[in-house]
Amino acid sequence: MRTGRRWLAAFSLALTLTACSGQRARGDLAPPAGAAAWDAIYDNTFDDHYNETPLQLSGRAPADVVDQRRLAQRLGFADLVLLVHVDQVWSRGMYGGTPSQRLDVTLGRVLLGVLPKGTRSDQVLTLRGGEDLPGGLTGQVMLLFLRWAPGEGQGYHHHVMPAEEAVITWIEAMARHARALGKLDPLEKSRAGKRGRRARG
């Protein structure tokens, strides 16, 4: 009888821990209310992986052209583009029962979009597929392209790539151009308006 009670208590504890591990921690990156559902057409663009090789913006080799097109797609469809500092690399392992790799990152400057209110600066990015992550990524500043995916995994899909100065400058120029044309996310437009009112005040 005593053994049965112990087993039941252990089973209840295991269920509680499993339920807690499935919940997002406070301040995790999460889709804002009203975020559009994920569409499979973005699977290759936001592949939850990274580019190790810096992109050649002026290159004309076939691989360079493909990379340039993919960069334009990521910028055009991303809900959020920002710089992140890689704090630690976790190579292949079982996370949540699925083989994957992780990056511990600190969120930096937002280049496009609006970071949801209350988001912590320290985040964990889960990566799938591709080669093992090199330990040399630790300490590097990378670009994070993110599109919300409500109800899926972390609630978003992403792509990480080296933060080359030329690429950052190009992204900033394209973002300025989009803002000048009024092609802003409504939330970003609202925040920009508030910043303008505070500046005039």
Side-chain angles (χ1 to χ4, degrees):
M1 190 70 171
R2 190 175 298 166
T3 303
R5 286 199 196 100
R6 285 178 184 160
W7 180 87
L8 185 59
F11 181 69
S12 299
L13 178 60
L15 283 178
T16 303
L17 290 175
T18 301
C20 290
S21 66
Q23 295 173 355
R24 287 195 182 94
R26 186 176 180 83
D28 277 358
L29 268 170
W38 180 255
D39 191 314
I41 63 171
Y42 303 121
D43 283 350
N44 291 329
T45 310
F46 300 92
D47 54 3
D48 293 335
H49 207 60
Y50 83 110
N51 287 4
E52 183 177 5
T53 306
L55 184 143
Q56 301 297 320
L57 279 177
S58 58
R60 285 294 171 263
D64 294 334
V65 173
V66 170
D67 286 346
Q68 291 157 15
R69 286 177 181 166
R70 195 61 57 79
L71 173 63
Q73 290 169 344
R74 287 182 177 124
L75 182 61
F77 294 123
D79 291 310
L80 197 57
V81 180
L82 68 160
L83 299 173
V84 298
H85 180 273
V86 179
D87 301 317
Q88 192 163 356
V89 175
W90 300 87
S91 59
R92 268 180 217 289
M94 296 291 287
Y95 303 106
T98 304
S100 58
Q101 304 178 87
R102 301 188 305 171
L103 292 178
D104 287 355
V105 300
T106 299
L107 305 184
R109 181 159 54 102
V110 176
L111 304 178
L112 185 71
V114 177
L115 202 59
K117 190 175 180 180
T119 302
R120 296 188 326 273
S121 61
D122 60 302
Q123 297 288 329
V124 178
L125 301 177
T126 301
L127 290 88
R128 56 187 168 91
E131 301 297 323
D132 287 349
L133 293 172
L137 285 181
T138 301
Q140 289 193 32
V141 175
M142 308 287 280
L143 271 164
L144 171 64
F145 296 81
L146 180 150
R147 186 172 177 89
W148 301 121
E152 291 207 7
Q154 291 182 291
Y156 58 84
H157 290 294
H158 63 80
H159 186 82
V160 180
M161 63 179 287
E164 295 290 306
E165 194 59 44
V167 175
I168 295 173
T169 300
W170 182 82
I171 290 171
E172 289 176 329
M174 296 298 288
R176 280 195 303 271
H177 182 63
R179 291 186 183 105
L181 293 176
K183 305 296 183 182
L184 275 176
D185 176 89
L187 184 56
E188 184 177 350
K189 190 181 294 184
S190 171
R191 295 272 177 91
K194 289 178 182 176
R195 285 196 297 269
R197 287 195 293 275
R198 281 199 296 271
R200 288 194 295 271

